[in-house]
């Protein structure tokens, strides 16, 4: 369930209509359509160069769209200059002002909005408490650790309660442990403030952990938009399946001639999930590792040689080289006897557990 | 249980162990003998009674009691201060514009600042004499077109001096501010705007504040350089624009009054050092080298005051720029900066270029535009034994200087790069010092020393003096190159069996060759158009090209000077462009 739905608020905060960006001959973003409800935590996930930063920059006004409109709270803001958009942005390298102290950095947006001195003081104090940095208010950014700087950047973008907060790989410069810790803090800030957040990352685990919805981007387009579970369980494309979670993908030709839909791949002919349909004949089926079981008793079966078995506590991961030269990953539940290295194994799956993608 | 302690290395052994720091020794010794000692000796002279050698402050008393000297002191500070102010004011938008350009385009545009920076002061000043004089370019255009009935007094007054000084110093201001501005993280400006700052506000509150170290460093360098200036005031000023350095020259050359010259030099040096000290207290000297890591400096209250002022300025200019945008439109407002910068570059480059056609004039006078063209002035130049021998001497001295300065400076740079000593800062400062101490002081000090050891009017004396002046340039250039050098290559060579010397000659030197060539050429140019030391050291028939030009310019302007200027300008510009090329490709 999304935070937005929990709060019972459903009015769209942000509507993007046909927004695109062209840098000379380079298309940084194809025209896209996107609606973000108030209070949602939306993640833009995608490989490098897929247009995530470009999209963020257009939302906050740092880049001018080549076409399309941006509506915030129902108002067209496409032409509004950056400083009047009332959007928060957390940069990957924090972009803290080196000549201002932590407190002065945080009060900067409040001063720009000409708030009263008492109000400024109060708000800075509150937000500093929220990110647990009260004791560092008088320090300069260079006197802080990476994680602390990141907290200041977060505080600075939350303090003026902008209508939307954009974060461009805010944790990209931190090490893994700190990153996981900060993820929890960001999630908490989101819950406490009810802010609408659009968050860029190319780390799929981070996206899965944080988001209400994930907007998967590839080649300057939106590949798939949905909740983490939807995208994991029903990937719309082979790219989506490959990018989120581990997938076994078999490409082939769909053949419906004998009344029953099948796909013929180099590894054999497999039955398709019931109800699956497709316009073309070129397609692929995606099977998650936990859907595959040992033993050739199933209708869809492939055979290969075990080249590695990795024991990972809660599961055992088998890596099997198929005879036709592809690798399949299998997840066995704990306690399940695993074949040894070099043994032959037959792998099967229930047709309905697979997903057909173009 | 026995405690295991590493045997201590005896101190003597530690000191004598081969250490890269020793490579700086020749340079330090050289500067100690030919820079520190002469300067200190000169200062000592000022507090000595010339006859008895006893301690005496009579000279200072005489200065304090003579109106003329106090006036000169006041004028010197005023001109230097105004020059610093205007150079920074005029240079800031230009540096800003350059910093915003794409790197490739910027490198080409910066050359338009580099060329006037390295163009000989004599050539630049000669150009202004031709442009501003009574029958000069501007006046003949004004009277010719009927805009003015008689020539305007553009030269031989304070206006002329300021035009010439600022023209000479804007490039230094721009080149000092530019690296700081390039180093400013553009995302900070974006961040400020996202947080609600209008463009004018984000400029003042973030960009300007972050560029301040460059601004103050530029102002400081211009002020200190201007303190010791004499070429421009002597040639473009009147009697009332006499500066301290001119006074020193007269005292030494005409009156041989060493104590007095020493006292004047001491005052100039103290002024320079006090300025540096104040600067250091306020901003930290490290920001001189473009190091902005020590941002946010200054003490608490001063910093807060600065912030309050900046906020007021930011608010006011946001209102102003809003109004301006309404009057001339957004597009008009966007053009203002490029238009200004074009004009500024024209101011920097055009006067010198005007000299070129004049060098080819067929007239006997310095007319512009020339009534016709001929090569007669070049013929005069190339057939004059005086000019030719001066030219040859300048080439020889410059080449020798470049070799010495590159060698000594290079070794010192290597020493600093290869040893992490806590003396690094001091060594760095020592090699930069000849740049900070006004040249006139070094020159007079050397003159006194050379007079005692018989080096006056010798080529060796010139080479030594010029090497002192060129060392900062070679040292800084090579230090910068070595900073980017991958020392693991040296380790690799060592592992593969090369000893230190072979590593240096076979690996390091070939890889930093471009930087060495650039340093060599910068030193060559420094010597080639050096005048201050030449005025004192190159006497009689042993004159250098700049000294010969100076003598001619004081006596009588003539078209031969234009021809010589063209030659000097072309040589220096070509060498500079080659040097820049080498510096970039390393
Ligand atoms: N200023 C620019 N000029 C030209 N091309 C640009 C510019 N900015 C971005 N691009 C191009 O637009 C495309 C999308 O870039 P964008 O920065 O949005 O990618 P991204 O998804 O944020 O990637 P990353 O994960 O690496 O940050 C890229 O192909 C990039 O090269
Ligand atoms: Mg990006």
């Amino acid at each position: 369930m999304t935070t937005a739905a929990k709060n019972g608020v459903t009015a769209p905060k942000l509507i993007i209509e046909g927004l695109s960006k062209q840098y000379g001959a380079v298309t940084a973003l194809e025209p896209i359509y996107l609606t973000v409800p108030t209070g949602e935590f939306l993640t833009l996930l995608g490989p490098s160069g897929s247009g995530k930063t470009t999209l963020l920059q257009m939302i906050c006004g740092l880049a001018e769209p080549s076409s399309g409109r941006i509506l915030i709270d129902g108002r067209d803001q496409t032409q509004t200059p950056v400083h009047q958009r009332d959007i928060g942005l957390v940069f990957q390298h924090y972009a803290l002002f080196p000549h201002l102290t932590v407190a002065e950095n945080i009060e900067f947006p409040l001063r720009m909005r000409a708030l009263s001195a008492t109000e400024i003081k109060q708000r800075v104090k509150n937000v500093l408490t929220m990110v647990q940095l009260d004791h560092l208010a008088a320090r300069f950014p260079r006197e802080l650790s990476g994680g602390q700087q990141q907290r200041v950047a977060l505080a600075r973008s939350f303090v003026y309660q902008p209508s939307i907060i954009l974060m461009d790989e805010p944790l990209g410069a931190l090490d893994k442990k700190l990153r996981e810790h900060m993820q929890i803090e960001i999630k908490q800030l989101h819950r406490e403030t009810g802010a609408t957040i659009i968050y860029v990352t190319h780390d799929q685990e981070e996206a899965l952990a944080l988001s209400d919805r994930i907007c998967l981007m590839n080649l300057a387009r939106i590949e798939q938009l949905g909740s983490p579970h939807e995208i994991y369980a029903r990937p719309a494309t082979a790219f989506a399946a490959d990018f989120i979670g581990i997938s076994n993908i078999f490409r082939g030709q769909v053949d419906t001639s004998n009344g029953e839909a099948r796909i013929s791949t180099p590894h054999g002919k497999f039955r398709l999930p019931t109800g699956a349909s497709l316009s073309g004949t070129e397609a692929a089926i995606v099977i998650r590792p936990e859907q595959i079981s040992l033993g050739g008793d199933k209708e869809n079966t492939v055979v290969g040689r075990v080249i590695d078995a990795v024991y990972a506590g809660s599961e055992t991961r088998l890596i099997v080289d198929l005879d036709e030269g592809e690798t399949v990953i299998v997840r066995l539940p704990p306690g399940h006897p695993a074949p040894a290295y070099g043994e032959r194994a037959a792998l099967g799956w229930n047709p309905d557990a697979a997903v057909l993608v173009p | 249980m026995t405690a295991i302690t590493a045997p201590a290395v005896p101190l003597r052994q530690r000191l004598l162990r081969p250490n890269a720091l020793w490579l700086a020794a020749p340079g330090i010794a050289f500067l100690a003998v030919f820079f520190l000692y002469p300067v200190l000796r000169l200062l000592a002279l000022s507090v000595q009674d010339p006859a008895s050698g006893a301690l005496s402050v009579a000279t200072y008393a005489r200065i304090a009691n003579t109106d003329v000297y106090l006036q000169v002191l006041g004028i010197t500070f005023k001109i230097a201060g105004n020059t610093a102010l205007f150079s920074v004011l005029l240079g800031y938008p230009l540096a800003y514009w350059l910093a915003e350009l794409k790197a490739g385009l910027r490198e080409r545009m910066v050359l338009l600042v580099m060329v006037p920076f390295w163009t000989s002061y004599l050539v630049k000043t000669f150009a202004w004499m031709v442009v501003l004089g009574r029958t000069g370019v501007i006046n003949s255009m004004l009277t010719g077109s009927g805009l003015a009935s008689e020539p305007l007094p553009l030269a031989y007054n304070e206006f002329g001096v300021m035009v010439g000084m600022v023209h000479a110093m804007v490039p230094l201001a721009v080149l000092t501010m530019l690296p700081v501005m390039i180093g400013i993280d553009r995302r900070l400006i974006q961040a400020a705007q996202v947080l609600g700052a209008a463009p004018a506000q984000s400029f003042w509150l973030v960009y300007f504040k972050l560029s301040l170290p460059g601004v103050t460093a530029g102002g400081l360098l211009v002020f200190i350089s201007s303190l010791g200036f004499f070429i421009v005031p002597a040639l473009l000023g009147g009697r009332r624009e006499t500066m301290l350095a001119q006074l020193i020259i007269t005292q030494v050359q005409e009156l041989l009054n060493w104590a007095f010259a020493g006292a004047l030099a001491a005052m100039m040096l103290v002024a320079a050092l006090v300025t540096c000290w104040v600067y250091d207290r306020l901003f930290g000297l490290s920001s001189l080298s473009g190091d902005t890591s020590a941002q946010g400096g200054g003490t608490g209250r001063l910093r807060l005051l600065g912030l309050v002022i900046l906020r007021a300025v930011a608010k006011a200019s946001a209102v102003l720029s809003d109004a301006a945008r309404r009057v001339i439109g957004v597009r008009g407002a966007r053009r203002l900066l490029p238009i200004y910068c074009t004009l500024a570059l024209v101011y920097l480059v055009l006067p010198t270029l005007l000299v070129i056609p004049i060098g080819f004039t067929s007239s006997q006078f310095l007319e512009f535009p020339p009534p016709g063209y001929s090569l007669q002035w070049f013929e005069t130049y190339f057939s004059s034994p005086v000019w030719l021998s001066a030219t040859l001497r300048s080439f020889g001295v410059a080449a020798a200087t470049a070799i010495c300065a590159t060698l000594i400076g290079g070794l010192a740079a290597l020493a600093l790069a290869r040893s992490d000593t806590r003396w690094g800062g001091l060594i760095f400062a020592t090699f930069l010092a000849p740049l900070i101490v006004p040249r006139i002081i070094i020159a007079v000090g050397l003159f006194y020393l050379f007079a005692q050891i018989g080096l006056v009017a010798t080529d060796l004396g010139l080479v030594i003096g010029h090497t002192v002046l060129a060392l900062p340039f070679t040292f800084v250039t090579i230090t910068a190159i070595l900073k980017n050098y991958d020392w693991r290559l040296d380790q690799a060579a060592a592992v593969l069996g090369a000893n230190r010397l072979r590593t240096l000659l076979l690996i390091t030197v070939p890889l930093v060759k471009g930087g060495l060539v650039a340093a060599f050429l910068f030193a060559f140019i420094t010597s080639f158009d050096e005048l201050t030391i030449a005025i004192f050291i190159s006497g009689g028939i042993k004159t250098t090209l700049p000294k010969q030009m100076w003598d001619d310019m004081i006596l009588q302007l003539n078209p031969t000077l234009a021809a010589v200027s063209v030659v000097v300008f072309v040589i220096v510009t070509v060498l500079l462009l080659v040097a820049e090329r080498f510096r970039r490709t390393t």
Side-chain angles (χ1 to χ4, degrees), chain B residues 358-380:
Chain B
I358 294 178
F360 292 92
T361 190
S362 61
S363 160
Q364 300 296 312
F365 307 100
L366 291 164
E367 291 173 71
F368 190 87
Y373 293 95
S374 82
L375 288 174
Q376 58 171 320
W377 301 110
F378 286 93
E379 278 162 24
T380 314

Side-chain angles (χ1 to χ4, degrees), chain B residues 27-39 446 449-450 453 468:
Chain B
I28 292 175
F30 181 83
L31 286 177
V33 176
F34 295 113
F35 169 66
L36 279 181
Y37 172 73
V39 168
L446 277 179
L449 174 69
F450 286 177
I453 56 177
V468 171

Side-chain angles (χ1 to χ4, degrees), chain B residues 38 83 90 92 120 192 202 281 293 328 336 347 426 441 458 478 514 527 549 559:
Chain B
T83 305
L90 296 184
Y92 191 94
S120 156
S202 68
R281 295 317 304 263
S293 62
I328 52 174
L336 281 180
Y347 167 62
L426 190 66
I441 298 178
T458 62
I478 298 173
S527 164
M549 286 178 76

Side-chain angles (χ1 to χ4, degrees), chain A residues 142-297:
Chain A
R142 62 171 181 279
E143 301 164 338
L144 303 180
S145 71
Q148 289 167 335
Q149 291 188 31
Q150 185 55 56
R151 285 203 198 103
V152 178
L154 288 174
R156 193 177 66 175
S157 60
F158 275 92
V159 73
Y160 58 107
Q161 296 162 2
S163 54
I164 305 172
I165 296 177
L166 312 175
M167 303 190 186
D168 195 350
E169 302 194 37
L171 308 182
L174 303 180
D175 63 49
K176 187 165 158 55
K177 193 134 190 220
L178 194 53
R179 205 157 62 212
E180 280 166 6
H181 181 72
M182 289 301 299
Q183 282 171 10
I184 297 172
E185 289 202 11
I186 289 177
K187 193 77 198 160
Q188 207 165 342
L189 272 174
H190 177 234
R191 246 194 315 270
E192 281 170 22
T193 57
T196 309
I197 294 178
I198 302 180
Y199 186 100
V200 167
T201 179
H202 48 224
D203 175 351
Q204 51 131 340
E205 279 177 36
E206 193 166 288
L208 292 173
L210 288 171
S211 331
D212 294 326
R213 280 197 302 165
I214 294 176
C215 175
L216 186 63
M217 301 188 61
N218 186 31
L219 301 173
R221 288 179 297 103
I222 295 182
E223 191 87 14
Q224 191 174 5
L225 181 65
S227 71
H229 180 72
E230 272 164 17
I231 297 188
Y232 186 80
R234 312 242 129 259
T237 61
F239 171 83
D242 199 32
F243 203 81
I244 296 197
I246 301 170
S247 308
N248 299 301
I249 301 176
F250 299 120
R251 302 206 145 272
Q253 259 83 35
V254 174
D255 169 20
T256 47
S257 51
N258 300 348
E260 201 189 29
R262 283 178 178 270
I263 184 165
S264 49
T265 74
H267 312 285
K269 262 190 169 205
F270 304 128
R271 211 156 66 103
L272 290 180
T274 31
S277 69
L278 208 67
S279 51
T281 58
E282 285 283 332
I285 50 171
V286 175
I287 311 118
R288 298 288 183 188
E290 61 272 18
Q291 306 288 3
I292 298 182
S293 51
L294 285 177
D297 53 330

